[in-house]
Amino acid sequence: MGDDRLDRDVMATDDAPMSAAQMLELSRAQQQRVADFFETPTLIIVATWGVAWFVGFLALWLGRPASVLPIPGDIAGTAFAVLMIVGVVTSVVVGSRTGAGVKGRERFEGAVYGISWGAACTAVPVLGGALQRAGMTTDVAALFYPAAYCIVIGTLYLVGAALWQDRSMIVVGAWILLVGVVAPYFGAPASYLVMSLAGGGAFLVYAALLLGARSRVKRSRVVRPS
Amino acid sequence: MNELDPVIHAQARLRIMSTLAALSDGSSMTFPRLQNLLDMTAGNLSTHLRKLEDAGYVSVRKSHNERTPVTDVTLSTVGRRAFEDYMTALRALLGEK
């Protein structure tokens, strides 16, 4: 008796039947929504680092006395440090919340990956500080920091590519590694400009591509989840 | 074989199954997260989950995190297979491979 009533209740809550094509689209739209849920944190982390690098390295480049638009060096240095801290905090907070409400592989992967960004980007200035104490000059530091950031972040992209079978991340990761090892050959302060445009620019382009891919998927939906 | 599984062939339950099938094998989702990704009321979601649980397609596990009750929903092996069969049947109806 109770089961009959339950069945009737369930049937009563069933929506009007849809065609096979609509049901297929409904399922695809829902799976895309789940994919978006897991990808949004990555998008936020990538976009944040894009802005932090683009603005931060541009500030360092402009912070030299002979630059086209000179800004005081200590302001440029402070701006850079603040942006890097914002990047680290954003990565850790957003990364650790990736897949909240899910238990299993996805949650673990997302959290470890996001926190790795924060940890790796904290490791660079800590190592740099030790090297400066050991006698690394400001000029050499200007070559070390950008290259070290590129090496850790380029590697993180390649790890991300392996985790999510994402080929576009291989391209971005390899590009950032390349920028990191080539930029120091330009010498300071030109290396800062290379980092800002080629490094930060690459993040921003990648974030824009991710966003573009997502909105294309959304526009192509026939059935919207109700 | 072309008959569509009536347990899955309802908008709400298809969406629940699609959400859980998007996770890797053995991963679970909490009730509030599921509700949030589906935009369903708690009552409506519970009703449909019960139907899926009765069919053995999902397992609903209630536990406590300190004092807060936590409900985890997992797609069972039978459920994953039923979802795949349903999708195959749906595509076959549409002439897709």
Side-chain angles (χ1 to χ4, degrees):
Chain A
M1 265 310 274
D3 279 354
D4 282 354
R5 200 172 57 81
L6 178 65
D7 273 356
R8 268 204 313 280
D9 285 352
V10 169
M11 295 312 169
T13 55
D14 282 1
D15 302 298
M18 296 170 103
S19 73
Q22 284 173 314
M23 287 301 262
L24 190 64
E25 182 50 37
L26 190 67
S27 174
R28 281 184 184 150
Q30 187 58 34
Q31 293 205 318
Q32 184 58 44
R33 181 154 176 189
V34 178
D36 283 354
F37 165 68
F38 285 110
E39 282 166 14
T40 303
T42 308
L43 184 66
I44 294 170
I45 292 172
V46 169
T48 305
W49 281 108
V51 173
W53 273 30
F54 188 79
V55 177
F57 283 113
L58 202 60
L60 288 184
W61 182 65
L62 293 172
R64 305 288 286 212
S67 73
V68 273
L69 191 76
I71 55 172
D74 50 349
I75 291 183
T78 307
F80 181 80
V82 168
L83 284 165
M84 293 302 120
I85 292 168
V86 168
V88 169
V89 172
T90 306
S91 303
V92 173
V93 172
V94 173
S96 61
R97 292 189 54 79
T98 302
V102 175
K103 290 191 188 114
R105 215 180 73 193
E106 296 84 356
R107 167 81 169 139
F108 183 76
E109 286 171 353
V112 170
Y113 188 69
I115 293 168
S116 298
W117 272 74
C121 293
T122 304
V124 171
V126 173
L127 171 64
L131 293 177
Q132 281 178 289
R133 278 181 58 158
M136 180 165 71
T137 63
T138 312
D139 281 349
V140 175
L143 302 181
F144 165 79
Y145 281 106
Y149 273 118
C150 279
I151 290 166
V152 299
I153 291 178
T155 308
L156 281 167
Y157 263 87
L158 296 176
V159 172
L163 266 181
W164 297 300
Q165 291 92 48
D166 184 339
R167 285 166 199 278
S168 64
M169 288 185 92
I170 300 178
V171 177
V172 181
W175 171 252
I176 289 171
L177 275 178
L178 186 72
V179 169
V181 293
V182 168
Y185 287 94
F186 286 85
S191 63
Y192 287 142
L193 188 63
V194 174
M195 289 295 302
S196 167
L197 301 179
F203 285 151
L204 291 175
V205 167
Y206 182 64
L209 286 176
L210 284 181
L211 210 58
R214 175 183 294 198
S215 59
R216 265 199 306 284
V217 169
K218 288 224 168 85
R219 272 201 306 277
S220 70
R221 282 182 192 174
V222 180
V223 181
R224 293 199 61 84
S226 54
Chain B
M1 200 48 218
N2 265 354
E3 216 167 273
L4 294 169
D5 185 342
V7 178
I8 305 180
H9 193 61
Q11 289 185 45
R13 291 192 297 277
L14 173 62
R15 291 179 60 228
I16 294 171
M17 292 295 281
S18 302
T19 305
L20 295 172
L23 301 179
S24 60
D25 218 2
S27 290
S28 66
M29 195 175 269
T30 60
F31 188 91
R33 174 59 63 205
L34 200 52
Q35 207 190 326
N36 163 264
L37 285 174
L38 290 162
D39 295 322
M40 283 168 76
T41 63
N44 200 11
L45 179 56
S46 296
T47 309
H48 287 292
L49 278 178
R50 208 174 306 135
K51 180 93 179 169
L52 291 169
E53 197 181 10
D54 287 347
Y57 291 177
V58 302
S59 67
V60 179
R61 202 170 56 89
K62 289 184 166 67
S63 59
H64 280 81
N65 184 8
E66 285 168 12
R67 287 205 169 163
T68 324
V70 184
T71 304
D72 291 304
V73 185
T74 317
L75 192 64
S76 68
T77 310
V78 177
R80 192 172 288 274
R81 202 171 303 141
F83 177 74
E84 280 163 12
D85 287 346
Y86 174 85
M87 294 308 280
T88 307
L90 205 55
R91 288 196 194 94
L93 272 177
L94 293 165
E96 284 185 31
K97 273 291 277 180

